[in-house]
Amino acid sequence: MAATHESHPLAFWRWQLHWQALFGIVLGVLLGYLSGSAAVGDAAGLGGRWEIKLYDLVGDLFMSGLKMLVVPLVMTAIVSAIASLGQMQGFARMGGKTLLYYVCTSFVAIMIGLTLVNAIAPGERSGLSAEEAAAAVRTEGSSEATAMAELEKKTAGRGTDSVLNVFRELVPSNVLDAMARQKMLGLITFSLLFGFFITRLQERQREIMLGFFEGAYDIMIQMTFLILRFLPLGVACLIAQTSAETFAGGNVLERLTQLGMFAVTVLAGLIMHAFVVMPLILGVLARVNPMRHLQAVAPAMLTAFSTASSAATLPLTMECAEERAGASQRVTSFVLPVGATVNMDGTALYECVAVLFLAQLSGISLDFSNQLLVVVMALLTSVGVAGIPSASLVAIVIILKAVNDNLPDGAHIPLEALAIILIFDRLLDMCRTAVNVLGDTVGTVLIARSEGEHDILAEDPGARQARLRAEAG
Ligand code: ASP
């Protein structure tokens, strides 16, 4: 176990961040197993157990701690990067590269999903029909019925056209509202302009403003370090809660057997994307050692896995990309917040596999035009999906509606069939969120390399981070 300082090997708070996160995950699974299995015979169920309430509280505090940092961190990082460079030149070029990378990699992820779901055909092997899957929703009080009712509320009135709403966020009509609702695109626009106009101020005012934003950014970095001290604890509590629910709900395990091939298809796709496509991009295009990069961003991936939220993970992703993976502050502060909003490779892949799986369950074989529709819709909706847990389910409903409108008369995929993957969503959500975050960091390094703003990692990422921290005092 690599420690950053000389210390007792069991002093886990000195371990490198990825080992700390991994430790938290293993501990969380263990705690969740103990609570979940104890709750099986307990009449009060999981909700009545004090330790679950504690995990819930600590997990929420950790998530809130991370989310609390997102807006001020992103804004101060962008403003101070632009104001100190003294120019906005090159941002249009960087924006173009970012979008090109995001569109291409999401497309590749969708094509991997499409190929696998057609080849494996999990819906034809599950031994379940769409009608049976939908029946659970009609059982009053079932967990599927509750989950579906919530999803219907979220998707009410949303159709294909709502997909483009994300572009409206580019210019916020109220910047405080954009901050409150963590609308990244609007905040990025505002911060870019703010930073740029600082450079146009008279010298005295400029120095004051620059000093203020650089100082504020350093404070945000220190606060990120503070929250990271709680990484193993936060991760353990989040995982304990999720795994307790899984172990306590016999229903979920039963679903696992019915949905085994679906899960295998999704996981195989995610693994191919994360461990074949991404390393190829790193090795061939960015000329960076993929293993070093994976090690550098592992804390962010593991936190994304535990929180199932790429938005909440953003402070840690920025920290890993800059201090451990060697990208510059200018590139990191622009590419990552955009990525956490619009680039979701894992989500895009999942949406495609889920829609085709539900079509297969319904005995409908989608022709070329419908599969193309799914690909295009998955690409567009993955842009609009929020970086929060289970967000892609909303997108899947939108795609299903579009496919149903395009199917010949009589053919129909029942939306309620989605219930079968609803209650089983968390584990796959954790995996796809980790892939989403990995995709963002690979894009950051690739763009930083192309801009000449990346240090090739000659040293171990953890040691580099420790050195930079020591140098910063
Ligand atoms: N949970 C994912 C994320 O935060 C979004 C999703 O696919 O549901 O990136």
Side-chain angles (χ1 to χ4, degrees), residues 109-450:
I110 295 172
M111 293 318 285
I112 293 177
L114 188 73
T115 311
L116 288 178
V117 73
N118 278 311
I120 300 176
E124 285 161 25
R125 294 161 182 244
S126 74
L128 197 78
S129 73
E131 265 316 303
E132 282 163 348
V137 176
R138 297 187 200 115
T139 317
E140 221 175 295
S142 68
S143 44
E144 287 90 343
T146 321
M148 199 67 196
E150 265 173 39
L151 186 61
E152 270 162 11
K153 254 191 256 156
K154 283 191 208 154
T155 49
R158 292 185 61 171
T160 321
D161 45 347
S162 66
V163 164
L164 298 176
N165 275 348
V166 68
F167 297 105
R168 285 184 213 283
E169 289 171 15
L170 278 171
V171 182
S173 58
N174 178 345
V175 74
L176 291 182
D177 181 61
M179 285 185 195
R181 295 196 290 132
Q182 305 207 336
K183 296 290 179 198
M184 280 305 137
L185 296 184
L187 287 180
I188 292 169
T189 311
F190 181 81
S191 310
L192 285 174
L193 291 172
F194 199 94
F196 173 67
F197 283 106
I198 287 182
T199 67
R200 295 293 176 98
L201 290 173
Q202 287 183 352
E203 199 180 334
R204 202 179 79 81
Q205 290 172 318
R206 191 176 61 232
E207 275 170 12
I208 294 173
M209 291 302 281
L210 179 60
F212 171 79
F213 276 95
E214 283 184 342
Y217 175 63
D218 284 347
I219 294 173
M220 295 320 302
I221 295 286
Q222 295 302 329
M223 286 175 70
T224 309
F225 290 157
L226 177 71
I227 304 285
L228 290 188
R229 290 189 175 238
F230 298 95
L231 184 73
L233 181 68
V235 163
C237 289
L238 288 166
I239 295 283
Q241 225 181 320
T242 313
S243 54
E245 277 162 23
T246 311
F247 288 117
N251 197 5
V252 178
L253 292 179
E254 177 198 323
R255 289 284 186 236
L256 184 61
T257 42
Q258 288 167 335
L259 291 180
M261 285 319 274
F262 170 65
V264 166
T265 311
V266 173
L267 291 177
L270 292 177
I271 289 172
M272 271 176 78
H273 193 71
F275 299 110
V276 179
V277 176
M278 290 292 125
L280 274 176
I281 294 178
L282 284 167
V284 177
L285 296 181
R287 304 208 162 270
V288 166
N289 180 340
M291 285 313 290
R292 275 265 147 103
H293 180 82
L294 278 174
Q295 193 190 345
V297 301
M301 285 179 71
L302 292 169
T303 307
F305 178 81
S306 315
T307 58
S309 167
S310 39
T313 311
L314 186 57
L316 187 49
T317 318
M318 288 173 73
E319 154 83 10
C320 288
E322 198 180 328
E323 292 215 14
R324 293 168 59 97
S328 69
Q329 184 193 334
R330 186 180 80 109
V331 174
T332 306
S333 64
F334 177 77
V335 179
L336 284 176
V338 175
T341 315
V342 307
N343 180 46
M344 304 214 171
D345 297 351
T347 295
L349 185 151
Y350 180 72
E351 287 173 14
C352 174
V353 174
V355 170
L356 266 92
F357 169 72
L358 293 173
Q360 289 168 356
L361 273 190
S362 316
I364 295 173
S365 141
L366 295 182
D367 61 8
F368 179 76
S369 74
N370 273 309
Q371 298 215 9
L372 188 67
L373 179 66
V374 175
V375 170
V376 174
M377 290 291 292
L379 200 57
L380 288 175
T381 52
S382 70
V383 171
V385 162
I388 55 174
S390 294
S392 46
L393 294 171
V394 177
I396 294 172
V397 173
I398 295 177
I399 304 177
L400 282 175
K401 282 183 187 166
V403 172
N404 274 338
D405 287 346
N406 208 35
L407 283 174
D409 286 347
H412 179 78
I413 308 172
L415 291 189
E416 297 88 355
L418 185 59
I420 187 151
I421 57 174
L422 270 186
I423 57 160
F424 179 68
D425 186 56
R426 182 69 181 197
L427 183 69
L428 298 178
D429 193 5
M430 291 155 82
C431 299
R432 65 185 185 251
T433 308
V435 175
N436 290 345
V437 166
L438 174 67
D440 296 343
T441 64
V442 171
T444 308
V445 164
L446 180 65
I447 291 160
R449 293 282 290 153
S450 75

Side-chain angles (χ1 to χ4, degrees), residues 50-66 227 230-241:
W50 66 267
E51 77 275 22
I52 293 293
K53 293 190 179 125
L54 186 69
Y55 301 152
D56 188 33
L57 175 69
V58 179
D60 273 358
L61 284 175
F62 178 66
M63 282 276 267
S64 303
L66 283 172
I227 304 285
F230 298 95
L231 184 73
L233 181 68
V235 163
C237 289
L238 288 166
I239 295 283
Q241 225 181 320

